[in-house]
């Protein structure tokens, strides 16, 4: 079974802190994604990556950056957390044969 | 651009009732269509998919048919169970590869015993 794990299920940070959210997948997938999920807005794509050291902006990249130093790991970075970044963050990896995305359990981040 | 519109919830049904969650899409080309499910406290899971017109995806008693003429991919189940309570997301991806999915806003389903 594909497994996508995220470093924390719940996280509370203060405004202005630098926040790292990590995602690891064990299926050797090239493609990885970061989304945020907010009530009434569904899922919105923040960043994605096709390969190591490659990244592409999604629909809402402002205030975020990413890092992909190893194929299995894709990190989302909030350089200076703000209260409007309080959200559920979901990581996904994707196989390139069937183009199906596999999601992690999510990290619920609260910025106070 | 590509977009997905799904019926707003929440939807509340009694056990064994018939379920329909409507989904329509706007896309160029020939997208693939998906339904994902998110159970409470979990990430999304792929429920079913269809990659070309008239295809029917099915899984766990759920079905959806890719209707190009009506640009729809409605989710149906003949007899829902309490364990089907979840949020359901319709999504599409562009022909030739996902690259990124475009999601609907989700429909919350609650099934009462």
């Amino acid at each position: 079974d594909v497994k996508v794990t995220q470093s924390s299920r719940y996280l509370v940070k203060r405004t202005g802190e630098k926040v790292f959210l990590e995602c690891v997948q064990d299926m050797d997938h090239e493609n990885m994604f970061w989304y945020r999920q907010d009530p009434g807005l569904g899922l919105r794509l923040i960043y994605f990556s096709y390969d190591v050291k490659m990244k592409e902006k999604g629909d809402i990249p402002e205030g975020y950056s990413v890092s992909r130093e190893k194929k299995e790991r894709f990190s989302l970075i909030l350089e200076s957390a703000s209260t409007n970044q309080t959200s559920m963050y979901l990581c996904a990896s994707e196989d390139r044969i069937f183009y199906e995305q596999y999601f992690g359990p999510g990290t619920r981040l609260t910025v106070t | 651009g590509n977009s997905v519109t799904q019926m707003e919830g929440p939807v509340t049904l009694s056990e064994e009732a018939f379920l329909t969650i409507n989904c329509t899409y706007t896309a160029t080309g020939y997208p693939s269509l998906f339904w994902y499910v998110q159970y409470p406290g979990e990430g999304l899971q792929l429920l079913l998919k269809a990659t070309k017109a008239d295809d029917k995806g099915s899984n766990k008693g759920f079905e959806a048919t890719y209707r190009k003429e009506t640009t729809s991919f409605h989710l149906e189940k003949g007899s829902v169970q309490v364990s089907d309570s979840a949020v359901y997301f319709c999504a599409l991806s562009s022909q030739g590869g996902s690259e990124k999915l475009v999601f609907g806003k989700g429909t919350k389903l609650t099934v009462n015993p």
Side-chain angles (χ1 to χ4, degrees):
Chain A
D1 276 355
V2 176
K3 191 156 188 179
V4 180
T5 56
Q6 295 185 227
S7 50
S8 305
R9 292 299 299 270
Y10 300 93
L11 207 53
V12 180
K13 295 292 182 181
R14 293 196 180 275
T15 301
E17 279 193 80
K18 191 169 186 175
V19 181
F20 293 87
L21 303 181
E22 295 202 328
C23 174
V24 178
Q25 51 97 0
D26 66 358
M27 280 301 293
D28 202 37
H29 289 165
E30 284 86 2
N31 299 350
M32 296 187 74
F33 304 79
W34 274 107
Y35 297 89
R36 65 178 281 176
Q37 182 181 13
D38 300 289
L41 296 177
L43 275 76
R44 293 179 291 167
L45 181 65
I46 305 171
Y47 268 97
F48 58 106
S49 170
Y50 289 134
D51 206 343
V52 175
K53 297 194 185 296
M54 293 181 66
K55 59 185 179 183
E56 297 284 341
K57 291 180 180 180
D59 300 317
I60 52 164
E62 296 79 19
Y64 303 94
S65 61
V66 291
S67 173
R68 185 117 181 251
E69 296 297 319
K70 293 185 178 181
K71 191 174 187 180
E72 68 270 20
R73 189 180 298 268
F74 191 35
S75 300
L76 179 69
I77 303 156
L78 287 66
E79 296 288 344
S80 177
S82 64
T83 55
N84 63 12
Q85 292 179 309
T86 291
S87 186
M88 170 71 87
Y89 290 88
L90 292 168
C91 174
S93 73
E94 179 182 68
D95 82 88
R96 282 188 179 173
I97 298 175
F98 298 106
Y99 290 100
E100 294 177 6
Q101 292 195 12
Y102 298 86
F103 284 80
T107 295
R108 185 167 293 283
L109 172 67
T110 301
V111 182
T112 61
Chain B
N2 297 341
S3 66
V4 173
T5 302
Q6 61 181 104
M7 65 186 284
E8 292 188 19
V11 175
T12 302
L13 296 173
S14 298
E15 208 164 23
E16 300 184 3
F18 184 86
L19 168 71
T20 300
I21 300 178
N22 290 337
C23 172
T24 57
Y25 67 89
T26 302
T28 54
Y30 302 94
S32 294
L33 300 172
F34 304 83
W35 277 101
Y36 280 82
V37 59
Q38 185 178 33
Y39 297 104
E42 299 183 12
L44 277 69
Q45 302 173 24
L46 179 64
L47 181 59
L48 54 84
K49 70 174 186 178
T51 58
K52 61 182 186 296
D54 300 325
D55 266 3
K56 178 186 281 188
S58 61
N59 186 26
K60 299 182 181 180
F62 291 89
E63 294 183 339
T65 301
Y66 187 163
R67 302 283 189 203
K68 189 165 177 60
E69 64 277 11
T70 55
T71 61
S72 64
F73 192 55
H74 304 322
L75 182 69
E76 295 182 337
K77 186 174 185 182
S79 176
V80 294
Q81 305 301 311
V82 173
S83 57
D84 294 326
S85 298
V87 180
Y88 293 82
F89 292 91
C90 186
L92 69 81
S93 69
S94 299
Q95 175 72 11
S98 171
E99 299 182 349
K100 59 176 185 174
L101 290 172
V102 175
F103 287 90
K105 293 183 179 181
T107 302
K108 184 176 182 180
L109 170 67
T110 301
V111 180
N112 294 319

